[in-house]
Amino acid sequence: MEVAEDIVIVGGGVAGLATSLGLHRLGIRSIVLEASDDLRSAGYALATFTNAWKALDALGIGDLLRQHHKRLHGNVTKSAISGLQTSELPFQAKGKHGDHEVRCLKRKLLLEALAKELPTGTIRYSSKVVNIEESGFFKLLHLADGTILKTKVLVGSDGVNSVVANWLGFKKPAFAGRYAIRGSVDFKRSHGFEPKFMQFFGKGIRSGAIPIDDTTIYWFITWTPSTREEELEQDPAKVKQLLLSKLGKVPDEVRAIIESSELDGFIALPLRYRHPWELLWGNISKGNVCVAGDALHPLTPDIGQGGCSALEDSVVLARCLGEALLKKPTGETKEKGEKEKDEYERIVMGLKKYARERAWRSIELISVSYISGIIQESQGKMMTSLRDNALVGFLAGFLLKMADFDCGKLIIS
């Protein structure tokens, strides 16, 4: 059975739902195909910096989410070797695009807020794409259940293992040589932590804790494992024991958060990223197909820009598609074939504009994040000394520098 749709977005994560909402705000219908049976809430939480809040405000859900998430006052970095504070960065600073705003956002609440604003039936669950085929000015998507969707526009926001990115010719994202574990703890009462982003570096490990609200704390650990440690990655009890032994001199209350976390959260996830040069000669868009979010620019979590940049992508993509689809051509009435060709060409130009806007921003974010991670987790004596005494403030400053970006409004010029 073949079903016609104007815009199909593959992947119901942050980028996919936000792109669909951006289009909906412009009066453009789309559908979102999600392979799982419901909203994907894996990931617990994400740091949302100034650029993310610009995007959330453009989508019209910023104020709703602010009500449930505490504003953070700054970043505090300590050495996990000495236990001493090495840097403090206040977030009450003004950037090129206004005052900085940083919060830690529950991923589930973000996805629910995006989904709630979409028309009923927009998200189609249990819809896995198994093949993509060209058909004139359209793309045919073959789903696992036998359904065939015929679409004018195909957007891949289907994560690091993106089917759409693979179709565009991108390689599978590279392993960064590091692993991550994340979790959150709800104290059911006031946790007593100051509203600050806490980070700890030392001996090849980076850990941190961030208040989400008055009762919940999000925590994370990233590390570079030895060959022996890689063998432990799927044994949660051994992973937990290993990481607690490697934490170093972190505050007792932070260690207690990790100790109290359930074992089922201690699954080591490999960190992956796209080589930035792939975006120079690769196809962010090709014809009426493009990618966004992790399908476009998977990056390591060292500057907290994964979810933020996905939201940027979504606003820019919705705006570029809106300009292409809402600006009707002037002139004499055309035959059906000519109309389809004209619309296809406008879509192609819109997606090329999106690709141009996002290419260098994506390259910068991937590169800065990767380099920051290498420095933060270095175990060499010279680099450790340099990091803790000279570079630590510089590294912390990247959190705000990379967030000082405005993706713009959902306005068609």
Side-chain angles (χ1 to χ4, degrees):
M1 181 178 71
E2 187 175 288
V3 180
E5 297 287 352
D6 285 346
I7 301 174
V8 175
I9 299 168
V10 182
V14 173
L17 296 183
T19 300
S20 185
L21 179 55
L23 291 167
H24 175 59
R25 297 294 193 216
L26 294 172
I28 300 171
R29 183 178 179 274
S30 65
I31 66 163
V32 178
L33 304 180
E34 172 52 45
S36 61
D37 297 333
D38 51 22
L39 285 178
R40 288 179 289 147
S41 57
Y44 297 102
L46 60 153
T48 44
F49 288 84
T50 314
N51 53 325
W53 290 103
K54 298 280 187 187
L56 290 168
D57 285 336
L59 294 169
I61 60 170
D63 285 342
L64 172 68
L65 291 166
R66 285 183 178 95
Q67 295 173 24
H68 304 286
H69 301 89
K70 190 175 267 303
R71 188 165 186 167
L72 302 177
H73 295 166
N75 167 263
V76 175
T77 303
K78 293 184 178 182
S79 168
I81 300 171
S82 67
L84 299 175
Q85 181 173 309
T86 54
S87 169
E88 183 163 9
L89 176 72
F91 289 156
Q92 290 97 331
K94 188 176 284 291
K96 291 184 294 184
H97 302 283
D99 293 336
H100 279 287
E101 180 177 3
V102 186
R103 300 170 197 264
C104 189
L105 200 56
K106 288 182 180 176
R107 193 174 191 276
K108 187 171 185 287
L109 288 185
L110 171 59
L111 293 179
E112 287 174 350
L114 291 166
K116 188 176 179 181
E117 295 293 311
L118 293 171
T120 303
T122 298
I123 308 170
R124 301 189 184 178
Y125 297 106
S126 304
S127 299
K128 183 179 180 180
V129 176
V130 294
N131 190 37
I132 301 168
E133 185 183 349
E134 297 203 53
S135 178
F137 299 125
F138 302 89
K139 293 294 177 288
L140 299 180
L141 303 183
H142 296 260
L143 306 189
D145 64 2
T147 303
I148 300 174
L149 296 179
K150 180 181 180 181
T151 183
K152 297 176 182 178
V153 182
L154 172 60
V155 177
S157 57
D158 44 341
V160 293
N161 298 311
S162 169
V163 173
V164 181
N166 182 60
W167 186 87
L168 286 170
F170 282 115
K171 296 177 183 177
K172 186 177 180 180
F175 176 44
R178 300 159 56 207
Y179 286 88
I181 286 182
R182 308 169 178 96
S184 66
V185 174
D186 186 350
F187 288 76
K188 308 297 183 185
R189 52 179 171 74
S190 177
H191 49 60
F193 282 85
E194 289 186 84
K196 291 183 178 180
F197 187 145
M198 298 167 280
Q199 290 192 102
F200 312 94
F201 303 149
K203 295 185 178 179
I205 189 168
R206 168 179 173 259
S207 62
I210 316 173
I212 295 175
D213 50 33
D214 288 330
T215 65
T216 313
I217 296 284
Y218 169 66
W219 62 267
F220 62 87
I221 300 173
T222 65
W223 81 102
T224 305
S226 65
T227 305
R228 180 185 63 81
E229 290 169 0
E230 285 185 28
E231 297 171 359
L232 303 176
E233 66 177 85
Q234 296 308 321
D235 185 332
K238 290 181 179 178
V239 170
K240 183 175 183 179
Q241 183 181 16
L242 169 71
L243 294 179
L244 286 171
S245 72
K246 290 170 72 77
L247 276 180
K249 294 183 179 180
V250 302
D252 290 342
E253 57 269 27
V254 173
R255 182 180 291 275
I257 291 171
I258 299 169
E259 286 178 338
S260 65
S261 296
E262 298 294 331
L263 270 184
D264 58 8
F266 284 85
I267 302 297
L269 301 174
L271 295 179
R272 302 193 180 277
Y273 72 107
R274 192 172 303 293
H275 293 302
W277 52 84
E278 282 191 63
L279 299 182
L280 284 175
W281 55 66
N283 295 308
I284 294 175
S285 74
K286 183 166 70 174
N288 55 352
V289 181
C290 74
V291 281
D294 281 346
L296 167 60
H297 47 63
L299 60 150
T300 58
D302 305 285
I303 55 173
Q305 280 295 323
C308 301
S309 54
L311 289 166
E312 289 179 15
D313 292 342
S314 303
V315 173
V316 175
L317 178 53
R319 186 171 60 237
C320 289
L321 277 174
E323 290 172 353
L325 294 170
L326 296 176
K327 284 190 173 180
K328 301 299 180 185
T330 56
E332 59 190 59
T333 304
K334 298 179 180 179
E335 297 294 325
K336 181 182 177 183
E338 289 181 314
K339 284 183 179 178
E340 287 181 352
K341 181 182 179 183
D342 180 78
E343 185 175 50
Y344 174 80
E345 289 175 347
R346 283 186 282 121
I347 289 167
V348 170
M349 294 305 294
L351 294 185
K352 282 184 176 179
K353 181 179 180 182
Y354 159 74
R356 286 194 303 271
E357 282 197 42
R358 297 308 296 161
W360 284 108
R361 172 68 172 162
S362 299
I363 288 169
E364 181 182 37
L365 289 171
I366 292 170
S367 304
V368 170
S369 190
Y370 182 78
I371 293 168
S372 295
I374 289 175
I375 296 172
Q376 288 171 358
E377 292 187 18
S378 172
Q379 299 186 61
K381 287 186 177 180
M382 184 177 292
M383 182 56 77
T384 297
S385 176
L386 189 62
R387 177 192 65 217
D388 291 349
N389 294 296
L391 295 178
V392 66
F394 186 67
L395 290 170
F398 272 134
L399 294 174
L400 294 187
K401 182 175 173 57
M402 292 296 104
D404 196 7
F405 183 90
D406 189 351
C407 61
K409 309 291 186 186
L410 277 173
I411 298 172
I412 308 302
S413 57

